[in-house]
Amino acid sequence: MEDKKEKNSSKTKKKLITTSRVKYVVIAGILLLAAIVLMGLAIWTSGDADKTNENVEVDHLYSAARYFCRMKYPDNWDIKADDNGFYLDEETGLIFQAYPYITKDAEITLEEGVTAPPTTPEPLKIPTEGVTVSVFYQANPEFSWPPVETLPPEVTPSPTPKISPLPTPTFAPYPLVTAADKAVEIMKTKVLPKVAAEGGPDFSFSSGTPYEGKHCSFRAYSYQYTAENGIIMKGEMYVCSRSMAYYMITYETTADLYDVYKAGCMSMVDNFTFSIFDH
């Protein structure tokens, strides 16, 4: 009788152990599934725009050869520039713009009996409305190349001796604070009046602060204005200078998109560089 009780007790313990193991396996499976779902959500949300990415990869390069500068830009952004590389707007100094876009499959309309083309058309790029990064070039009015030496009228220049030419002189950069002050004035008098609401100006600028990119030192400003359609536009401007010129990079968006594309803009500012000449 006691042996029978011991056998039943042993069976009960085995069932409890087995049931306990099954519970652990089920719980582990549920936790694993939950982890996979959370990981998928994290990947999905991080894949959207620049909103969650503090360091956006910039794998594409645009070179504005006529204006001696280059800028890298991220995927899902494109460049608007003149076909021949000239100004987009000579009055303001605008040389090119970057803008984000989404893709849409191109629709193919075929007449009856016509065979579809063997290759699929490239997807259409639909610009995101209200978001632009603009780059402006402003020549330094005091710079000349080659350098010109001005002598007083009473001094007669002596013949040039036949000696080895001197090394190319190193020019001092155009003072950044001076360039930044002029850039703000250009924005207030030439750039923003073209897009601000009629009856302006109603735009405001912050004080300038230093900002260090990977290749250039900038003077940074934030600003705001009301567009012609009545929508409030938020902006930032980054100014850098060299001997021959200074550059203005602006980032403008509607208020709801400002944080979404800010990281992409900063990656472009950080990867803006001068090209060709040392001056």
Side-chain angles (χ1 to χ4, degrees), residues 89-92 187 189-196 228:
D89 184 345
E90 189 170 357
E91 182 186 0
T92 62
M187 289 292 289
T189 60
K190 294 182 179 180
V191 178
L192 295 184
K194 291 190 173 187
V195 293
E228 291 178 343

Side-chain angles (χ1 to χ4, degrees), residues 73-242:
Y73 60 97
D75 283 338
N76 299 323
W77 286 72
D78 206 353
I79 298 294
K80 176 184 177 183
D82 180 77
D83 291 339
N84 297 309
F86 290 101
Y87 287 107
L88 282 177
D89 184 345
E90 189 170 357
E91 182 186 0
T92 62
L94 177 63
I95 54 176
F96 67 91
Q97 291 180 311
Y99 61 89
Y101 66 87
I102 59 172
T103 56
K104 180 182 177 182
D105 291 337
E107 296 182 1
I108 304 175
T109 304
L110 299 174
E111 296 181 4
E112 188 176 349
V114 176
T115 305
T119 57
T120 304
E122 288 289 327
L124 300 175
K125 295 179 179 179
I126 312 298
T128 302
E129 189 175 354
V131 184
T132 55
V133 171
S134 303
V135 179
F136 302 80
Y137 173 91
Q138 308 290 344
N140 175 5
E142 300 170 6
F143 179 83
S144 63
W145 180 260
V148 177
E149 182 182 3
T150 304
L151 297 175
E154 65 275 10
V155 177
T156 303
S158 58
T160 304
K162 294 181 179 180
I163 58 174
S164 301
L166 295 173
T168 302
T170 300
F171 294 90
Y174 192 47
L176 181 55
V177 172
T178 303
D181 289 343
K182 292 196 174 195
V184 171
E185 188 64 22
I186 289 169
M187 289 292 289
K188 289 181 176 180
T189 60
K190 294 182 179 180
V191 178
L192 295 184
K194 291 190 173 187
V195 293
E198 188 176 354
D202 63 346
F203 35 79
S204 59
F205 267 80
S206 71
S207 299
T209 56
Y211 179 78
E212 289 295 326
K214 292 180 180 178
H215 309 287
C216 305
S217 297
F218 294 90
R219 193 83 177 157
Y221 298 82
S222 60
Y223 62 92
Q224 183 173 296
Y225 69 93
T226 303
E228 291 178 343
N229 54 12
I231 294 176
I232 300 295
M233 299 294 292
K234 295 180 66 176
E236 291 187 1
M237 178 174 71
Y238 297 85
V239 183
C240 58
S241 66
R242 61 196 303 181

Side-chain angles (χ1 to χ4, degrees), residues 60-81:
H60 309 279
L61 176 67
Y62 178 74
S63 177
R66 291 185 183 275
Y67 303 101
F68 322 115
C69 65
R70 300 191 297 264
M71 188 176 79
K72 290 184 177 181
Y73 60 97
D75 283 338
N76 299 323
W77 286 72
D78 206 353
I79 298 294
K80 176 184 177 183

